[in-house]
Amino acid sequence: MTGRIIGLGSYLPPRLLTNDDLSKMVETSDEWITERTGIKQRHIADGIEDKASTMACKAALAAVEDAGIDPSEIDLIVAASTTPDLVFPSIACCVQRAVGADGCACFDVNSACPGWVAAYNTVQGFIESGNSKCALVVGAEMLSNYVDWEDRGTCILFGDGAGVAVLKAVEDHPSNRFIMKASAKRGDCLHCETMKQPKRMDEEGFIKSTNMFMAGREVFKFAVTEVPALIIELSEKYGFDLNDVDYFVLHQANQRIIEAVSKRLDQPLEKFPMNIQNTGNTSSASIPILLKEMKDDGRLTPGKKIVFTSFGGGLTWGANYIEY
Ligand code: UT7
């Protein structure tokens, strides 16, 4: 048995922060942000109605509806988040309560931006070993609560949101094909301390936080080197041709990174869907949010061959080759 995605759901909080809004907070401009990242706006959670856990619940309810399943069928929920609003219970437990799947196994994983990829592969392990038949894979982030709103090098990148996939055990479907990696000795270029005090960005002002550190150029170099290498390694390991892949769904971190990967793989940019212009970098939520958008606009149809890949703090990176 292998898990097949039978439903997708996402949630983006209503408040928008545009590049022009940011230029009133730090010394930057719409032109600089657009040229260097491709981002035009990002969604920002209010920290009251919308937090990582509540956004996860909203996306999960949408995913369950999309899948057309009864919540009692769910036997496992794994959530990825680097920005949970609770130390415990886990976001997965919050989701269980919201969707009404009492009794199923629930836990969270943290692998920074590739967290959803890690959660997906964990769930596939449960399914392939016969321990799950129907599971939710959640990615939910409220980065706005952690970024330093006075650091123009990082605060322009991130946005909030959540995305969820429903995986169902099926026969006659390719088994899970993936590679995951980490290099902790190279991890100093991207890290974030736990919050000591709750800090929230509100309508009136932006509270300084010094929790996040990112050496952008170093992370950029890591991404444009390791991501194409990983995709090539994945194709060699599982014996598929990159020309047969319909879409490369990359973590939405920077449009220039995506363009560089397309070039290095010699694959047309049209095969690299993007929504970063509207969402910014939503860390572990970015892949399921994008998959949901592709399903809604008709690009993601049964049988489509997809490579999804993510990279981030750790350093960590991972990629999957799936048939939708
Ligand atoms: O999920 C993974 C998380 N992280 C990433 O994927 C980040 C990957 N890295 C990046 O996306 C890019 O490195 C950034 C978008 C963060 C920065 O772009 P860059 O082209 O690497 O710029 P830079 O950091 O080398 O800075 C170039 C210049 C500097 O000025 P000087 O020293 O040349 O005078 C910066 O001070 O741009 C300046 N700068 C800005 N100017 C206007 C940095 N941030 C800004 C800004 N607005 N927001």
Side-chain angles (χ1 to χ4, degrees):
M1 302 293 261
T2 307
R4 182 172 198 167
I5 298 176
I6 58 155
L8 287 159
S10 65
Y11 178 79
L12 292 162
R15 182 182 170 195
L16 289 177
L17 189 71
T18 65
N19 292 348
D20 286 336
D21 294 333
L22 272 168
S23 69
K24 293 178 194 125
M25 294 158 52
V26 288
E27 209 182 319
T28 191
S29 63
D30 174 43
E31 194 189 355
W32 192 95
I33 301 171
T34 305
E35 193 186 305
R36 301 286 176 128
T37 70
I39 301 166
K40 298 296 281 182
Q41 62 170 43
R42 64 289 290 143
H43 293 252
I44 302 292
D46 63 4
I48 303 160
E49 280 281 309
D50 288 326
K51 302 177 267 196
S53 61
T54 55
M55 291 190 290
C57 292
K58 291 175 187 179
L61 284 165
V64 168
E65 193 185 337
D66 187 54
I69 55 162
D70 190 293
S72 64
E73 290 177 53
I74 299 165
D75 53 25
L76 172 67
I77 302 172
V78 182
S81 184
T82 50
T83 54
D85 42 287
L86 295 158
V87 175
F88 56 83
S90 64
I91 287 180
C93 280
C94 299
V95 168
Q96 187 203 58
R97 193 171 177 164
V99 300
D102 199 51
C104 75
C106 290
F107 59 94
D108 289 1
V109 298
N110 177 355
S111 183
C113 299
W116 189 81
V117 175
Y120 180 93
N121 290 321
T122 304
V123 164
Q124 287 286 18
F126 272 67
I127 291 174
E128 293 191 345
S129 62
N131 287 296
S132 170
K133 287 196 161 50
C134 184
L136 301 186
V137 190
V138 182
E141 302 284 5
M142 185 177 171
L143 268 306
S144 66
N145 217 13
Y146 286 77
V147 297
D148 179 349
W149 287 101
E150 291 180 358
D151 176 7
R152 66 178 182 170
T154 55
C155 74
I156 51 133
L157 285 179
F158 297 101
D160 302 331
V164 176
V166 182
L167 257 64
K168 191 163 189 167
V170 294
E171 285 171 350
D172 305 325
H173 197 64
S175 60
N176 192 34
R177 298 168 290 195
F178 73 104
I179 301 176
M180 284 172 62
K181 296 195 182 207
S183 176
K185 69 177 184 191
R186 291 151 65 189
D188 289 346
C189 60
L190 184 56
H191 61 85
C192 186
E193 287 171 27
T194 329
M195 302 232 311
K196 293 177 186 76
Q197 298 287 328
K199 298 185 183 85
R200 184 181 305 137
M201 191 182 70
D202 57 26
E203 294 286 351
E204 281 78 47
F206 299 88
I207 299 161
K208 184 175 165 63
S209 147
T210 53
N211 298 304
M212 188 184 289
F213 170 80
M214 183 179 78
R217 236 172 228 201
E218 225 174 296
V219 180
F220 192 98
K221 265 189 226 154
F222 149 69
V224 299
T225 310
E226 297 294 359
V227 169
L230 183 68
I231 293 173
I232 289 166
E233 191 182 334
L234 187 75
S235 71
E236 287 168 356
K237 181 175 176 185
Y238 293 105
F240 66 92
D241 189 332
L242 294 184
N243 294 320
D244 294 336
V245 174
D246 294 298
Y247 291 111
F248 296 88
V249 178
L250 266 56
H251 169 45
Q252 302 289 294
N254 184 319
Q255 183 174 321
R256 284 191 300 139
I257 293 176
I258 297 169
E259 286 167 354
V261 174
S262 146
K263 220 173 195 172
R264 287 193 187 198
L265 293 177
D266 196 23
Q267 291 293 312
L269 197 55
E270 298 75 61
K271 286 167 79 168
F272 292 73
M274 280 186 245
N275 63 358
I276 188 170
Q277 59 280 5
N278 297 322
T279 62
N281 177 345
T282 58
S283 189
S284 72
S286 84
I287 291 176
I289 290 173
L290 182 53
L291 288 174
K292 170 66 176 156
E293 202 174 301
M294 292 170 67
K295 182 174 185 182
D296 287 348
D297 67 23
R299 278 178 290 176
L300 196 58
T301 48
K304 281 277 184 308
K305 294 180 171 63
I306 310 282
V307 166
F308 60 72
T309 177
S310 187
F311 55 89
L315 297 170
T316 50
W317 63 111
N320 281 60
Y321 176 49
I322 69 159
E323 203 172 299
Y324 179 74

